[in-house]
Amino acid sequence: MPVKSPKVAVLLAAYNGMHWIEEQLTSILGQSAVDVTVHISIDPSTDGTEDWCAAFAARHPSIIVLPPGGRFGGAARNFFRLIRDVDIESYDFVAFADQDDLWHGDKLKRAIESLQSRKVDAYSSNVTAFWEDGRTRLLNKAQPQTCWDFLFEAAGPGCTYVLKAPMVKAMKQSMLVHWDALQSVSLHDWYCYAFARSHGYRWYIDPVPSMDYRQHERNQVGANTGLGSMIARYTTIHDGWWFNQVRLIARLVGQDADPFVGSWLQLRRWQLIRLSLSAWRCRRRIRDRVLFFLICWATALMGKSAR
């Protein structure tokens, strides 16, 4: 008898994707040793993405375009809609995809083998960022996980996530309970990692890149490379966005009652100073731990984002 291939639901959020989406879909449909169905949710676009995807789906039975869902205004809400609306009962695994990357041919195969051999529930990986001028750079997100990193960062780019279906079903149930509050979460990959870790699911971050991560001016969240991009990201902390996201996600995943989280959740000055002393438990990378320590102190002294 032929060996049954694992069934994977790929959830792809699209918006004005005509420059890259065909190349990306070709790389997804070309995955080895898996049975893939791509579900596409499109934020209302101005470049013809809806019509192109409808025509492409008509020629490829493995592509399903969801009905219009209104304006999402960002990838996170679009992905939350996909998780809510796609019926995953017949699938073994769920993967996320952006519209503009290039998947390696064995991306899903390697992820599933890792999930099964390591007996974990969720997978992510490093990626190779690439630019139109030919530059490439490995983005290393595979540092050892820490006690509380999931409340402060994602497990790498969400477009590398491959999740076992039972975990996604549990996450969907929680999302539906907290749907209105969930709409204020800016990064779906951060939330998914936080949900998994806070509910006892095991996560593996693969040091081997699984895809080429396209960098261009339209990236909602791109590669964090160089001093300029690092500064740009961390300036969001001073207007309150980052700490407010930390607080929101902690509450959504039910960690607000934990004694450690409760010791800083109100983000008062003295609580931020105390939190700074736990930097080694809150971020994976050494550079980020140093920045975390400094940001906690700067925020405490300046009093801008602890509100």
Side-chain angles (χ1 to χ4, degrees):
M1 293 182 61
V3 177
K4 180 183 176 183
S5 297
K7 294 191 67 177
V8 184
V10 176
L11 310 185
L12 189 152
Y15 171 68
N16 281 347
M18 288 300 296
H19 283 86
W20 315 283
I21 194 167
E22 183 173 11
E23 199 173 9
Q24 165 68 314
L25 285 172
T26 299
S27 75
I28 296 173
L29 294 179
Q31 291 295 295
S32 61
V34 292
D35 180 0
V36 170
T37 303
V38 184
H39 300 263
I40 305 176
S41 174
I42 307 171
D43 209 340
S45 300
T46 58
D47 68 346
T49 297
E50 291 95 336
D51 290 340
W52 185 90
C53 286
F56 192 83
R59 301 192 303 272
H60 297 84
S62 296
I63 304 290
I64 298 172
V65 179
L66 273 62
R71 183 163 297 282
F72 303 107
R77 289 183 178 181
N78 203 347
F79 275 107
F80 292 147
R81 181 270 176 114
L82 281 158
I83 296 169
R84 182 193 65 187
D85 290 353
V86 173
D87 183 357
I88 63 168
E89 284 298 323
S90 63
Y91 296 101
D92 304 303
F93 303 93
V94 175
F96 296 162
D98 291 343
Q99 65 187 2
D100 49 6
D101 302 317
L102 295 173
W103 285 15
H104 297 175
D106 65 345
K107 177 184 187 297
L108 293 178
K109 178 177 179 288
R110 179 179 176 83
I112 291 168
E113 288 175 347
S114 296
L115 287 162
Q116 294 173 334
S117 65
R118 296 176 179 274
K119 295 180 170 57
V120 296
D121 306 286
Y123 168 99
S124 59
S125 76
N126 285 344
V127 298
T128 301
F130 73 102
W131 287 261
E132 292 183 0
D133 62 7
R135 288 180 297 137
T136 63
R137 179 168 179 175
L138 174 69
L139 301 186
N140 182 14
K141 303 294 184 179
Q143 300 83 13
Q145 297 166 61
T146 67
C147 296
W148 294 103
D149 69 304
F150 60 89
L151 290 185
F152 299 93
E153 60 180 322
C159 44
T160 68
Y161 287 15
V162 182
L163 316 171
K164 286 184 176 178
M167 194 206 89
V168 178
K169 293 175 186 177
M171 184 169 66
K172 180 187 290 195
Q173 291 177 351
S174 180
M175 287 169 53
L176 293 174
V177 171
H178 304 289
W179 186 255
D180 289 342
L182 189 71
Q183 304 312 299
S184 296
V185 173
S186 299
L187 300 173
H188 63 285
D189 45 6
W190 182 1
Y191 169 82
C192 292
Y193 181 51
F195 175 86
R197 289 282 308 279
S198 64
H199 286 76
Y201 294 102
R202 299 183 62 199
W203 197 294
Y204 173 62
I205 306 176
D206 191 349
V208 177
S210 66
M211 47 167 273
D212 297 332
Y213 188 40
R214 190 188 303 271
Q215 300 301 296
H216 54 84
E217 70 279 359
R218 301 183 194 178
N219 285 120
Q220 182 173 344
V221 179
N224 186 10
T225 61
L227 182 62
S229 61
M230 182 175 68
I231 292 173
R233 287 187 176 221
Y234 282 93
T235 53
T236 63
I237 293 165
H238 294 293
D239 64 10
W241 173 83
W242 189 68
F243 275 123
N244 285 327
Q245 287 289 300
V246 168
R247 184 158 49 188
L248 172 61
I249 289 173
R251 288 170 172 159
L252 284 173
V253 300
Q255 291 298 299
D256 49 328
D258 183 271
F260 170 72
V261 178
S263 71
W264 52 260
L265 193 61
Q266 297 304 314
L267 299 175
R268 298 190 177 97
R269 180 170 297 178
W270 62 271
Q271 291 177 321
L272 286 164
I273 292 173
R274 175 188 291 177
L275 179 60
S276 73
L277 303 178
S278 295
W280 61 278
R281 294 198 290 172
C282 299
R283 298 302 298 262
R284 296 191 299 274
R285 186 164 49 182
I286 292 176
R287 184 191 77 179
D288 291 339
R289 294 174 184 176
V290 173
L291 286 168
F292 184 89
F293 176 87
L294 295 173
I295 287 162
C296 286
W297 272 89
T299 304
L301 295 176
M302 295 166 58
K304 286 189 176 181
S305 59
R307 59 177 185 267

